[in-house]
Amino acid sequence: MSEIRVGLVGYGTAGAYFHAPLVHATPGLSLAAVVTGNPDRRAEVAARYSAVAVADVRDLWERCDLVVVASPNRTHVSTAAAALDHGLPVVVDKPLAGSAAEGRDLVRLAEERGLMLTVFHNRRWDGDFRTVLRLAGEGRLGEVRRFESRFERWRPVPKGGWRETGGPEEIGGLLYDLGSHLVDQAVRLLGPVREVYCESDVRREGVASDDDTFIALTHTSGARSHLWVSSVAARLGPRFRVLGSRAGFVKYGMDVQEERLRAGIPPGSPGFGDDEEERWGVLGTEEAREVVRTEAGSYLDFYRGVAAALREGTPPPVDPREAVDVLTVIEAARLSASKRTVVHLD
């Protein structure tokens, strides 16, 4: 195929600020059609991307070679399964599904159809996380023993929307939303998980899903991850604190790519993923330390990997079975929070 036509399902935050601009900026991909029922969003799609806007996903199948599912979480499984049944490869925004069992069923369906299925765990390409991986890979931390990671915000007044006001059937809340990223990063860095402990709360009035959650993971290696996701953090902790046998690494501030995508900066523009120098992290001990330049973030690498998988048959940028592993940990975290106990994974 000379150009891969992409059909995007959903044009809310994920579709408009992440998937559409990233697809548009990736060589070999073309945003051909977008499913949205909102008239203002339909007009924006036509103006920005010259793509066709349709109101029903059933009008999408003949218009594309690849389907990207960026609709509300509760629709991920049904929409992805329908696309696979129509013979189309699929990218699904995280979380892949509401349960590991549903995720495994999707993976099985894709394998039976011989079609690519991958999951948008884009935070693997955050510049700060790439920096942590590099330092660990170079041995500069020694044996990594503890990984602390935070997605914290100060939003005392809820913004509304299904992520906050929807119940369990919406698969909302921070554990599934931002927690998916943190668990995925922890497993990428430290490997499989054997024990899960979680504390999860709803702190704000009018919110139906968790908005303040802590997860503790014990990895099979013996290393530990402590993960925080919160909308009620009046003072923000470090984005990362990684402690090893030789040194530690501390980094404040979020990766810059989301902020720049929301500002309308094209993801292929020079310096798009470069962190500001004043936010670079510090590596070392109490006796000796050094400032470490943040690796450039590159969300475009995800969609470059998608294009390569479809054209050249290379593995997808995220193995969907790894996304199922993340869901397994998240389900264990929910059980731990409800039972107030440690959950052991086989």
Side-chain angles (χ1 to χ4, degrees):
M1 58 186 73
S2 59
E3 193 169 57
I4 299 169
R5 300 172 302 161
V6 178
L8 173 61
V9 183
Y11 199 71
T13 297
Y17 292 123
F18 288 90
H19 295 282
L22 291 170
V23 166
H24 184 66
T26 302
L29 300 183
S30 172
L31 186 62
V34 177
V35 179
T36 176
N38 184 299
D40 293 335
R41 294 174 182 176
R42 291 163 69 93
E44 180 182 337
V45 165
R48 290 191 64 181
Y49 302 109
S50 300
V52 175
V54 298
D56 194 303
V57 71
R58 290 172 294 184
D59 297 324
L60 189 69
W61 311 132
E62 302 300 324
R63 302 177 184 271
C64 62
D65 309 301
L66 167 69
V67 173
V68 175
V69 181
S71 47
N73 292 351
R74 60 180 168 78
T75 68
H76 285 187
V77 171
S78 59
T79 305
L84 292 169
D85 282 335
H86 280 82
L88 294 166
V90 182
V91 172
V92 184
D93 204 307
K94 59 77 203 160
L96 172 62
S99 70
E102 289 180 315
R104 281 191 291 270
D105 287 342
L106 271 182
V107 172
R108 188 179 303 113
L109 179 60
E111 291 174 345
E112 290 172 353
R113 298 289 192 271
L115 295 167
M116 185 204 72
L117 172 66
T118 190
V119 185
F120 190 61
H121 276 297
N122 60 302
R123 295 292 180 172
R124 294 184 181 189
W125 289 272
D126 278 1
D128 45 21
F129 183 62
R130 295 183 68 202
T131 304
V132 170
L133 288 179
R134 178 175 64 82
L135 293 174
E138 292 173 350
R140 300 183 68 186
L141 294 161
E143 177 191 1
V144 177
R145 295 169 174 167
R146 186 178 300 277
F147 175 59
E148 297 178 6
S149 178
R150 292 172 174 84
F151 271 1
E152 294 177 326
R153 296 164 174 167
W154 175 234
R155 291 180 178 170
V157 179
K159 295 174 64 177
W162 62 266
R163 294 182 190 276
E164 292 184 331
T165 61
E169 69 280 359
E170 294 287 348
I171 319 175
L174 291 185
L175 179 58
Y176 272 103
D177 185 21
L178 301 179
S180 294
H181 290 308
L182 298 193
V183 171
D184 181 65
Q185 289 179 337
V187 174
R188 293 289 290 175
L189 178 66
L190 296 175
V193 175
R194 72 168 186 242
E195 293 177 355
V196 181
Y197 170 75
C198 179
E199 301 167 1
S200 189
D201 295 289
V202 179
R203 300 292 191 185
R204 296 170 298 169
E205 185 177 352
V207 172
S209 302
D210 71 290
D211 59 3
D212 189 20
T213 294
F214 166 73
I215 314 164
L217 308 178
T218 303
H219 298 262
T220 56
S221 64
R224 298 183 186 273
S225 293
H226 284 177
L227 315 174
W228 289 263
V229 286
S230 180
S231 294
V232 291
R235 295 287 295 173
L236 307 184
R239 174 67 185 89
F240 290 122
R241 190 172 80 124
V242 190
L243 302 178
S245 58
R246 293 182 57 187
F249 176 71
V250 179
K251 170 75 169 67
Y252 283 84
M254 295 294 296
D255 177 85
V256 298
Q257 293 174 93
E258 177 177 352
E259 175 186 338
R260 290 172 182 170
L261 285 169
R262 287 178 177 270
I265 300 173
S269 57
F272 174 81
D274 292 346
D275 198 14
E276 297 157 0
E277 185 173 352
E278 59 268 23
R279 300 201 305 181
W280 293 353
V282 176
L283 172 73
T285 65
E286 285 302 301
E287 288 74 35
R289 68 194 72 178
E290 63 175 294
V291 175
V292 176
R293 183 187 184 114
T294 308
E295 293 285 311
S298 184
Y299 291 166
L300 274 176
D301 282 354
F302 175 85
Y303 273 108
R304 291 181 182 126
V306 169
L310 295 178
R311 291 180 180 279
E312 303 162 22
T314 58
V318 175
D319 187 328
R321 290 167 294 189
E322 295 172 350
V324 173
D325 292 339
V326 170
L327 288 170
T328 300
V329 173
I330 288 176
E331 284 187 293
R334 292 183 65 198
L335 179 61
S336 170
S338 66
K339 299 294 186 180
R340 299 186 179 183
T341 188
V342 174
V343 175
H344 301 267
L345 299 181
D346 293 331

